[in-house]
Amino acid sequence: MKLKRIILLLLTVMFSFSYGEVFAKDGNSLKKALKNKFLIGVSVNTRQSSGKDVAAVEVVKKNFNSIVAENCMKSSVIHPKENKYNFTQADEFVSFGESNQMAIIGHCLIWHSQLAPWFCVDKNGNNVSPEVLKKRMKDHITTIVKRYKGRIKGWDVVNEAIEDNGAYRKTKFYEILGEEYIPLAFQYAHEADPNAELYYNDYSMAQPGRREAVVKMVNDLKRRGIRIDAVGMQGHIGMDYPKISEFEKSMLAFAGTGVKIMITELDLTVIPSPNPNVGAEVSASFEYKKEMNPYPDGLPEEVSKAWTERMNDFFRLFLKHHNLITRVTLWGVADQNSWRNDWPMRGRTDYPLLFDRNYQPKPVVDLIIKEAEKNKISF
Ligand code: XIL
């Protein structure tokens, strides 16, 4: 009887391991492997959400269960003039997510970049009064959030409001309303769709100054009873920044406030940074230099190996803390789609994503799947 039980146990173990192996080799998808850990998302551009980029759409459908709009919901696109909204692309994006049963994320309501030029100023270019800006913010947020009410899982309500040193970024919103523009934005979004999750999203979150300021901001919101569900840590990382331990420290600090963590906008650049201090500030721009574009025709083996290891290390960290993390989102489908090829220097060739220029999964995809599967087998 005892022997029978031991044999049965042994068979189960063997089956579980070989199942994991075959599963991975079979091209098992990221979303299947990570199913019980966290959502695995990707940003899509309009050629993808409209279905034109057929190869990319296949990759998205097979591997990801969440999408975020790369550009089409930013104020300059969706609300180019005070009395003009342009919903065509955003509608298409939301329908794309729905027809593929994905968790749809709205990005982003209040942000200083890609800001509609009219938003904070009057006809003469002077800052509007606090009352006018509040009204404009409320109209903007209410109109957009209500339009997709019940269809969007969560919104990046405020994007990038804090600087490296923890000071509030001196945006027009801040100039006119002070730090109060942040709770106001969250409140307007909550009123427009009480069931939507609401997020604060920022880059360089491993910086101690920003870490502290974000913790304080989240605590303040919570103390005032204002809804905030998660902190989005943009993952625009490089081969030597941030330190994984500092990133982990921030994850734990944010989770300590009681909100969930999301790794948003993940991409790992492998080409040199013209200035590491720019974080992910989209307005940064440097003149093209050939020596800053070292791999136009492909990555040398050892560089590719180092990239795989580092990306894998980050996923191991995410898996380790999967109980704190609700979503990990890649900032782009395949390498040629990445904004990193053109930012902060136009015309370079980067390799920051999980799928290569032929839409094939990179070796790291298999490693992530195996790691997730390994965690599944527990006796
Ligand atoms: C980027 C897009 O990927 C580019 O296509 C666009 O030209 C600039 O913005 N932080 C964010 C994202 O929150 O919205 C930015 O996306 C990258 C940095």
Side-chain angles (χ1 to χ4, degrees):
M1 191 56 199
K2 211 172 161 198
L3 187 71
K4 221 168 150 190
R5 287 237 307 267
I6 291 171
I7 291 173
L8 206 70
L9 186 66
L10 269 175
L11 277 173
T12 318
V13 174
M14 278 165 62
F15 178 72
S16 304
F17 275 112
S18 57
Y19 182 64
E21 286 284 290
V22 174
F23 224 43
K25 283 205 190 95
D26 230 20
N28 176 31
S29 71
L30 283 169
K31 72 173 176 192
K32 279 189 204 154
L34 295 168
K35 193 163 173 255
N36 300 317
K37 310 293 184 197
F38 37 71
L39 289 168
I40 179 81
V42 66
S43 69
V44 289
N45 61 31
T46 51
R47 291 195 64 247
Q48 292 158 350
S49 45
S50 65
K52 287 193 193 87
D53 187 346
V54 180
V57 168
E58 276 315 298
V59 173
V60 175
K61 285 189 189 169
K62 186 170 176 212
N63 290 281
F64 299 95
N65 49 23
S66 174
I67 51 168
V68 58
E70 184 177 8
N71 285 304
C72 71
M73 289 180 153
K74 294 172 179 172
S75 67
S76 59
V77 182
I78 203 168
H79 195 177
K81 295 197 177 127
E82 184 165 11
N83 296 315
K84 185 178 184 287
Y85 283 89
N86 180 0
F87 289 121
T88 317
Q89 295 176 339
D91 285 356
E92 214 163 51
F93 160 76
V94 175
S95 307
F96 175 78
E98 280 182 333
S99 47
N100 294 298
Q101 294 85 45
M102 288 165 164
I104 305 166
I105 309 301
H107 173 85
C108 48
L109 296 169
I110 298 294
W111 188 30
H112 67 281
S113 284
Q114 293 173 282
L115 173 66
W118 62 272
F119 210 123
C120 301
V121 292
D122 63 19
K123 285 196 194 81
N124 304 319
N126 299 318
N127 284 357
V128 292
S129 68
E131 284 61 42
V132 170
L133 184 57
K134 274 191 213 170
K135 186 177 176 312
R136 287 183 181 181
M137 279 175 56
K138 186 167 187 182
D139 286 348
H140 176 77
I141 293 174
T142 310
T143 307
I144 298 169
V145 174
K146 274 209 169 138
R147 184 177 182 93
Y148 302 111
K149 189 173 173 179
R151 302 168 71 193
I152 296 252
K153 181 182 171 67
W155 284 97
D156 288 338
V157 179
V158 175
N159 199 26
E160 303 174 356
I162 308 283
E163 291 174 3
D164 278 4
N165 65 6
Y168 279 91
R169 186 190 285 275
K170 307 301 175 290
T171 65
K172 288 256 175 221
F173 296 103
Y174 183 82
E175 252 176 52
I176 300 170
L177 289 169
E179 48 193 81
E180 197 55 22
Y181 85 89
I182 298 174
L184 280 173
F186 277 83
Q187 194 52 34
Y188 297 149
H190 182 56
E191 282 162 14
D193 184 355
N195 293 323
E197 292 185 355
L198 306 180
Y199 316 131
Y200 175 73
N201 192 51
D202 213 329
Y203 63 74
S204 298
M205 290 288 235
Q207 291 279 350
R210 191 179 273 102
R211 175 195 300 144
E212 257 175 53
V214 171
V215 165
K216 184 175 175 308
M217 189 182 80
V218 174
N219 280 332
D220 285 350
L221 288 171
K222 288 179 90 74
R223 195 173 30 81
R224 291 169 63 175
I226 294 170
R227 178 168 184 167
I228 173 162
D229 295 86
V231 166
M233 301 174 69
Q234 293 183 19
H236 300 298
I237 56 177
M239 295 302 288
D240 51 9
Y241 66 88
K243 269 195 186 158
I244 293 198
S245 55
E246 289 299 303
F247 197 87
E248 182 174 32
K249 226 172 165 178
S250 294
M251 286 172 57
L252 296 173
F254 300 146
T257 68
V259 297
K260 290 290 182 188
I261 305 299
M262 302 172 317
I263 312 303
T264 59
E265 312 191 16
L266 181 60
D267 50 28
L268 170 54
T269 183
V270 77
I271 53 181
S273 169
N275 177 353
N277 295 329
V278 298
E281 171 53 52
V282 300
S283 62
S285 172
F286 297 85
E287 205 186 314
Y288 179 85
K289 285 205 180 82
K290 203 160 176 250
E291 63 272 22
M292 295 297 277
N293 187 24
Y295 314 121
D297 307 315
L299 280 186
E301 188 60 32
E302 71 279 7
V303 179
S304 170
K305 248 179 94 184
W307 183 93
T308 304
E309 266 169 37
R310 184 152 162 90
M311 186 57 107
N312 195 31
D313 285 347
F314 269 93
F315 267 91
R316 285 157 101 123
L317 175 72
F318 306 153
L319 283 166
K320 175 177 162 197
H321 293 297
H322 69 87
N323 55 333
L324 307 178
I325 298 179
T326 50
R327 172 167 58 92
V328 174
T329 286
L330 274 295
W331 201 246
V333 180
D335 282 342
Q336 69 272 37
N337 305 133
S338 172
W339 75 307
R340 291 283 203 164
N341 295 301
D342 290 305
W343 177 90
M345 189 180 275
R346 292 194 77 80
R348 297 196 293 170
T349 306
D350 205 348
Y351 304 81
L353 297 169
L354 299 183
F355 292 83
D356 68 20
R357 285 178 165 71
N358 297 314
Y359 297 99
Q360 293 308 305
K362 295 185 185 172
V364 75
V365 171
D366 219 31
L367 298 178
I368 297 167
I369 290 174
K370 280 188 181 137
E371 189 71 23
E373 290 294 319
K374 196 163 82 192
N375 288 353
K376 232 183 233 173
I377 302 163
S378 51
F379 289 100

